[in-house]
Amino acid sequence: MDLFPYPPRGGQKDIYKAITKTLEEEANLVLESGTGSGKTVVSLSAILNHIKDEDMKLIYITRTNSQSKQVIHELRQINQVERIPGIALQGRKNLCPLVKTDPNFTESNAEELSVLCADRKTETLKQIADEAGEEQGREPDDPLVTKPSASDNTDRGPEGPNAAGISPSPAKDGVTIDLTGPDGPREATSIEDAAIGGTGTPGDPYIIDVTPSNLRSAKEDLATEMEILYREKGWGPLVPMTDDRSPKKGKKAPPTCKHFKRYMTSEREELLEYVRTEIPTAEEFTEYCHERGFCAYEAAKFVIPHMKVICVPYIYVFMPFIRNHLLTWLKTPISQIVLVVDEAHNLPAFGRDLATTALGETTIERAINESTYLGTPQLTENIDATDMCNAMSEVMQELITDFVMSEDGIVPRGEVSVALMHYFSTTSQEVEAAVEEMIQVGTAYRERRRKEGRLPRSYLKTVGEFLWGWFEGQTPDYIPLVVSHPRRRMELYCLNPARSTAVINAFHSSVHMSGTLRPLDEYVDTIGLPNDTPANVYPSPFPPENLKVSYLNDVTTKYEEIVMDRGIVQRMIDHVIQVVNRENRNAVIFFPSYNLMNSFLDSGLRTALKRPIYIEAQGMDQRELMATINRFKKHSKKEQRAVLFSVMSGRVSEGIDFPGAELELALLIGLPYPKPNARQRALQYYYDIKFGKGWEYTVKAPTVRKVLQSVGRLIRSEEDRGLVVILDHRAPHFKEFIPSMTLTADPLYEMATFWPNPTR
């Protein structure tokens, strides 16, 4: 354990050895080890010890910002042993300064932001080239502009195509913008290598030749990169941007980006040295860049090739469009990259959501407005765009009426196509032709908006593409749904997360970690890992007597039983009041849903508890949530302790630490079984057919993880002590995962034996 920065404890040596063996075999490893066991630092040190002298990288993916901070904290500790550079990044919207000031950037999705950014950068580079051309008289050693010299060609290497197959053009009639990086000058194969995310060559693009021929060549290169993006996203043909950059009378010049310009004309050695020295968190890196007025996204692309460790959100790996950019920046083949998936219990649901598409009422309404604005384009002889959108609105309402039982319903395959045929009294061929034409109309309108410097979005295109996917994409891995609550929509729901996660098998190795990953076989099967993937559970390093878990068998949140016995709810409320008021300790009360939590609060529980109350409300933004959590935590040092109301599988139960007296008591009001809706029934049937374990994989597994996540909030160190009371007689179903759990008829007695000296 050469790079391990602490004295090893518990099962850390065993985890280290297992990860090392996985890397040697270029395989995968799934492991569960309790929160606070040091999984992060063990995985980092084991992997870095293996790859530090190799041409390999580590991508460490997390779900939350707090997890990302922990990775950087441990990497900084490892750097006390040996210097190994790394960086954490947020999503592109957090990196781009224009997102805060320009509505187009604020409202854009990932693909739209990429296009907006590419166009701004293209215009900015043209501006830089023009300004450089006007200043050819400046001294050769000027940091921005130098006159060409004979040495320029030697920097570029031999004549002929470079590694990207692009022949360099001589700079005899122009000037050179010197953006030399710390590894020496390189030739850029495009005037804007970074417009879409590519670099063009294996080297770093620091030198940009500004000549008429190179400008033309660069625009062609950029157009090629844009074509790749459009083809990958299925956006149809790319409409070239106009070559005429002079503003028309009464029109503004094409917008540029001052942050990109600042970055392109700034010294980068200081940036790289900052990252290598400080190993910044995602927020620190973004703040450093924005304080200096340049684009953090472009800075990240420059820095990443020099890093050994890159910590990013899940989306960077599992969305193909973004993953391809990241791999291009890294300049390392995926077969030479080790992947760590932190809090891996989140990955199956994330993979399903990423591959799921939906069409809501709001989008249809906006498509109708767009069609009206465009003069109601005719799609086929009998169908125009407005009629098609109106038809979809009516069809959605009919589907909700016919198929929704509670909140959603499965739509028979072909039902939408038949409904549209009846609506227009036409054939399926004309309906499909109309959908295809609507996509083309929307594509043209989106490109028009792009050329005008507006958000490149078309709602007609969105509706058309959803319908095309609905007609063509109904494979066994997807189920067509209609949903009435909370938003009315049609949905092509992905049952198989491996549609998104199978790329894991292309990495050199992967390590999947969580404190709550059991049942491990479900995880291996669900995300598409090989059947022989090792899956290990490592015991908690903390004294088992520090955590006591009990359950009550006279109550439950099972709906059928509550209907039969109305006294159940009141008994649960009475238990909560007695337990919370018995001990003056910070307590959290977890519920299966926000609806149930709100009903308990409205039943008088809010006033019956003799404690300050804090609530994780549904829809609460991150800043407000953290302010609420911090106020709750401060009561651990006050005379009167507090109570926090939250939900299992919410942000409190999954991503917040409560060390010491910040949390000592937890009550679980029932068990968080998934709702028995159409989506859940389809998922269970799918896994019954595929693995013969429908109930185990789709009901038991997610419920176990939510319970263990909630219980795990109490014990984060060897000194922590906590008591959990589960208010549901079904708790023994999960005793194999909480073997110390015991039945109690008197929770007050359990508290008295666990805390002999009550603190009222």
Side-chain angles (χ1 to χ4, degrees):
M1 301 179 73
D2 295 340
L3 296 179
F4 199 70
Y6 311 112
R9 57 181 171 80
Q12 290 177 338
K13 287 185 178 180
D14 293 335
I15 298 174
Y16 189 100
K17 290 177 182 178
I19 293 175
T20 300
K21 183 173 184 290
T22 298
L23 298 173
E24 292 170 349
E25 297 176 352
E26 300 186 20
N28 306 288
L29 174 65
V30 174
L31 68 92
E32 176 181 299
S33 183
T35 302
S37 61
K39 298 184 295 296
T40 302
V41 68
V42 173
S43 62
L44 283 171
S45 58
I47 294 168
L48 290 175
N49 189 61
H50 185 84
I51 72 172
K52 64 178 182 177
D53 298 322
E54 304 292 334
D55 187 19
M56 297 176 66
K57 306 276 189 182
L58 166 59
I59 295 179
Y60 197 116
I61 59 175
T62 65
R63 279 285 280 157
T64 66
N65 202 35
S66 60
Q67 293 159 5
S68 171
K69 287 180 179 178
Q70 182 64 24
V71 175
I72 294 301
H73 170 77
E74 299 297 3
L75 183 58
R76 287 170 175 170
Q77 299 306 309
I78 290 172
N79 270 256
Q80 300 301 312
V81 180
E82 182 174 335
R83 299 298 295 174
I84 298 178
I87 190 172
L89 298 176
Q90 296 172 312
R92 186 169 184 173
K93 279 204 166 185
N94 295 101
L95 297 172
C96 175
L98 292 179
V99 168
K100 296 181 179 180
T101 60
D102 189 311
N104 283 336
F105 283 71
T106 304
E107 297 171 13
S108 63
N109 59 34
E111 295 86 358
E112 292 165 347
L113 180 57
S114 183
V115 173
L116 285 169
C117 187
D119 291 342
R120 288 282 185 108
K121 288 188 289 188
T122 299
E123 295 301 326
T124 304
L125 282 159
K126 292 172 183 176
Q127 184 186 73
I128 294 173
D130 287 347
E131 292 173 356
E134 293 171 0
E135 301 186 35
Q136 292 186 39
R138 295 169 71 171
E139 292 300 317
D141 59 351
D142 185 283
L144 176 63
V145 181
T146 60
K147 294 178 181 179
S149 65
S151 64
D152 288 341
N153 287 333
T154 60
D155 286 335
R156 295 190 188 95
E159 291 295 324
N162 59 22
I166 299 176
S167 299
S169 301
K172 60 184 179 181
D173 57 347
V175 295
T176 299
I177 300 178
D178 187 359
L179 297 175
T180 304
D183 296 331
R186 304 281 184 179
E187 179 191 346
T189 60
S190 163
I191 197 169
E192 213 305 280
D193 287 303
I196 297 302
T199 55
T201 72
D204 295 315
Y206 303 127
I207 295 287
I208 297 178
D209 292 330
V210 183
T211 68
S213 60
N214 283 347
L215 282 173
R216 287 193 297 271
S217 175
K219 286 196 294 183
E220 291 171 0
D221 292 343
L222 177 57
T224 300
E225 292 177 0
M226 291 289 284
E227 289 282 5
I228 293 172
L229 170 65
Y230 274 53
R231 183 170 62 249
E232 181 178 322
K233 299 305 299 180
W235 284 355
L238 172 67
V239 179
M241 298 290 283
T242 177
D243 286 341
D244 183 7
R245 286 179 283 129
S246 58
K248 301 288 189 297
K249 186 175 181 180
K251 291 188 176 181
K252 296 180 180 179
T256 58
C257 178
K258 65 179 181 180
H259 307 285
F260 177 62
K261 183 177 182 180
R262 174 79 172 174
Y263 164 77
M264 291 297 292
T265 56
S266 294
E267 173 58 52
R268 304 181 198 178
E269 180 67 37
E270 180 184 341
L271 168 66
L272 188 57
E273 183 60 25
Y274 161 73
V275 175
R276 283 173 167 163
T277 303
E278 299 298 327
I279 311 179
T281 64
E283 294 98 331
E284 290 168 349
F285 177 78
T286 302
E287 183 179 357
Y288 176 91
C289 294
H290 290 182
E291 284 179 349
R292 286 154 181 77
F294 57 75
C295 175
Y297 180 74
E298 293 302 316
K301 287 160 57 175
F302 163 70
V303 167
I304 280 177
H306 306 280
M307 298 295 105
K308 202 70 172 177
V309 181
I310 302 93
C311 182
V312 291
Y314 280 20
I315 196 76
Y316 273 80
V317 168
F318 298 113
M319 179 173 278
F321 161 65
I322 299 176
R323 178 177 66 246
N324 290 339
H325 289 355
L326 178 61
L327 294 175
T328 302
W329 306 337
L330 282 170
K331 302 175 186 175
T332 303
I334 195 170
S335 60
Q336 292 298 103
I337 299 173
V338 178
L339 178 69
V340 172
V341 183
D342 200 3
E343 298 299 321
H345 62 274
N346 291 297
L347 186 55
F350 179 88
R352 291 189 190 99
D353 290 343
L354 194 62
T356 295
T357 58
L359 177 67
E361 283 186 318
T362 301
T363 299
I364 295 175
E365 291 169 1
R366 291 176 177 174
I368 292 172
N369 294 337
E370 184 178 303
S371 177
T372 302
Y373 174 78
L374 294 174
T376 309
Q378 195 69 30
L379 304 178
T380 64
E381 182 178 354
N382 299 307
I383 305 173
D384 64 44
T386 302
D387 285 343
M388 175 60 83
C389 293
N390 282 323
M392 278 306 303
S393 183
E394 291 191 22
V395 167
M396 185 184 297
Q397 179 56 53
E398 291 174 2
L399 295 176
I400 290 173
T401 301
D402 293 344
F403 298 108
V404 170
M405 297 295 292
S406 56
E407 62 184 42
D408 64 1
I410 298 174
V411 179
R413 300 183 186 275
E415 185 71 21
V416 172
S417 179
V418 170
L420 291 173
M421 288 163 56
H422 284 304
Y423 186 94
F424 292 109
S425 299
T426 188
T427 64
S428 61
Q429 288 81 3
E430 184 172 15
V431 169
E432 292 179 3
V435 170
E436 190 171 1
E437 181 62 22
M438 187 157 68
I439 295 172
Q440 298 303 317
V441 169
T443 299
Y445 179 58
R446 184 203 59 206
E447 291 304 304
R448 185 176 118 191
R449 290 176 59 89
R450 172 177 165 244
K451 293 174 72 173
E452 294 170 352
R454 296 191 289 163
L455 181 65
R457 177 181 297 172
S458 166
Y459 293 101
L460 286 173
K461 186 172 185 295
T462 300
V463 174
E465 288 180 335
F466 177 82
L467 280 173
W468 191 261
W470 185 279
F471 295 155
E472 301 295 324
Q474 294 191 23
T475 70
D477 284 347
Y478 290 85
I479 191 74
L481 296 173
V482 62
V483 183
S484 62
H485 181 77
R487 293 183 301 107
R488 295 157 66 93
R489 64 191 185 276
M490 293 168 59
E491 193 174 283
L492 199 59
Y493 177 66
C494 179
L495 300 166
N496 182 11
R499 287 274 184 168
S500 302
T501 61
V503 68
I504 288 170
N505 295 304
F507 285 85
H508 175 278
S509 309
S510 70
V511 178
H512 307 251
M513 310 186 305
S514 173
T516 53
L517 201 51
R518 288 175 289 172
L520 302 184
D521 57 340
E522 179 272 336
Y523 180 85
V524 170
D525 287 342
T526 298
I527 68 166
L529 291 175
N531 292 333
D532 60 352
T533 298
N536 305 331
V537 177
Y538 297 91
S540 170
F542 308 133
E545 63 271 15
N546 284 10
L547 176 66
K548 185 174 184 61
V549 182
S550 302
Y551 74 94
L552 294 164
N553 68 355
D554 65 334
V555 289
T556 183
T557 53
K558 189 174 183 180
Y559 177 74
E560 294 83 356
E561 294 190 36
I562 291 177
V563 171
M564 296 295 293
D565 182 359
R566 295 292 183 178
I568 289 178
V569 173
Q570 188 57 51
R571 287 199 297 275
M572 297 179 83
I573 293 173
D574 292 341
H575 285 312
V576 171
I577 294 171
Q578 290 175 359
V579 170
V580 171
N581 287 343
R582 162 98 176 31
E583 287 284 339
N584 186 27
R585 301 178 187 276
N586 266 16
V588 62
I589 305 176
F590 286 117
F591 293 83
S593 68
Y594 286 104
N595 286 339
L596 188 61
M597 181 181 75
N598 292 332
S599 70
F600 269 61
L601 285 167
D602 294 339
S603 69
L605 189 58
R606 190 192 302 263
T607 56
L609 297 177
K610 300 174 183 178
R611 301 282 186 272
I613 290 177
Y614 296 91
I615 301 170
E616 180 193 5
Q618 189 171 15
M620 180 180 282
D621 64 42
Q622 186 67 15
R623 181 176 298 180
E624 185 181 2
L625 173 64
M626 293 313 300
T628 300
I629 297 300
N630 289 333
R631 288 195 297 270
F632 167 75
K633 286 183 172 185
K634 288 179 181 178
H635 280 274
S636 64
K637 298 179 180 179
K638 296 181 180 180
E639 183 176 348
Q640 188 180 38
R641 304 301 168 88
V643 181
L644 175 64
F645 281 70
S646 183
V647 294
M648 288 173 267
S649 79
R651 285 173 288 178
V652 169
S653 69
E654 291 211 10
I656 308 295
D657 285 346
F658 298 90
E662 290 183 356
L663 184 62
E664 297 181 279
L665 174 64
L667 285 79
L668 277 59
I669 310 300
L671 295 169
Y673 283 105
K675 290 183 180 180
N677 53 23
R679 182 197 316 269
Q680 179 62 31
R681 291 193 297 272
L683 197 61
Q684 185 170 336
Y685 177 76
Y686 176 82
Y687 280 98
D688 261 332
I689 297 299
K690 191 166 186 177
F691 300 114
K693 297 181 178 180
W695 188 86
E696 292 86 345
Y697 280 11
T698 66
V699 179
K700 185 177 183 178
T703 305
V704 166
R705 288 171 186 153
K706 291 175 184 178
V707 169
L708 293 178
Q709 280 286 329
S710 301
V711 171
R713 294 305 95 196
L714 289 159
I715 307 296
R716 321 297 286 180
S717 71
E718 294 180 356
E719 293 76 31
D720 289 347
R721 283 173 55 82
L723 186 145
V724 179
V725 180
I726 302 176
L727 280 70
D728 201 303
H729 65 69
R730 297 172 292 176
H733 294 168
F734 308 107
K735 189 171 176 59
E736 65 178 292
F737 304 102
I738 313 175
S740 63
M741 179 172 58
T742 59
L743 170 66
T744 181
D746 185 358
L748 299 184
Y749 173 78
E750 302 293 340
M751 299 174 74
T753 57
F754 191 72
W755 292 303
N757 301 311
T759 57
R760 290 188 176 88

